[in-house]
Amino acid sequence: QVQLVESGGGLVQAGDSLKLSCAASGRIFSSYAMGWFRQALGKERDFVAACTWTKDSYYADSVKGRFTISRDNAKNTVYLQMNSLRPEDTAVYYCGFQYGNAYYRERSKYAYWGQGTQVTVSS
């Protein structure tokens, strides 16, 4: 089992920045990819960004140029730096974990999930 704990969410104004963290613990015995997804009220959980073990990163078009995913493999932690936040970024943000070095946009590919952290952007 792998446990994921997200942190760093909050209430901000449009144009502000936030940095989310997701720390993994438990049975981590090989390379793995981590991804960020978000779920707005009444909507599905959508892909935001992903980072492979070798630190290649991928983004949804809606956040490209504003969000940056990074990771510290020594700390088993992935980060999501969110700049120029917009009201439409308001959602619960979840991190996902999957063994291997591929990256995935599909939430079904991730074996483990955190509990989520709320990000609210006011206009």
Side-chain angles (χ1 to χ4, degrees), residues 1-4 23-30 32 76 97-99 110-114:
Q1 283 281 22
V2 174
Q3 294 78 42
L4 303 173
S25 62
R27 290 175 55 85
I28 302 171
F29 49 80
S30 68
Y32 56 89
N76 290 325
F97 175 107
Q98 176 61 302
Y99 288 113
Y110 291 83
Y112 301 100
W113 292 94

Side-chain angles (χ1 to χ4, degrees), residues 21-73:
S21 300
C22 175
S25 62
R27 290 175 55 85
I28 302 171
F29 49 80
S30 68
S31 61
Y32 56 89
M34 294 185 79
W36 286 98
F37 286 69
R38 65 186 181 188
Q39 187 167 16
L41 194 63
K43 296 189 176 182
E44 294 191 348
R45 191 175 300 188
D46 293 330
F47 172 78
V48 175
C51 190
T52 65
W53 176 257
T54 50
K55 303 185 179 180
D56 296 316
S57 56
Y58 304 87
Y59 299 93
D61 289 343
S62 59
V63 306
K64 205 172 292 183
R66 300 188 298 124
F67 291 10
T68 302
I69 189 171
S70 61
R71 63 189 290 167
D72 184 335
N73 290 339

Side-chain angles (χ1 to χ4, degrees), residues 81-104:
Q81 177 67 48
M82 305 186 294
N83 298 331
S84 302
L85 282 162
R86 304 167 180 169
E88 54 264 39
D89 295 319
T90 295
V92 178
Y93 283 71
Y94 298 89
C95 68
F97 175 107
Q98 176 61 302
Y99 288 113
N101 194 42
Y103 94 98
Y104 305 102

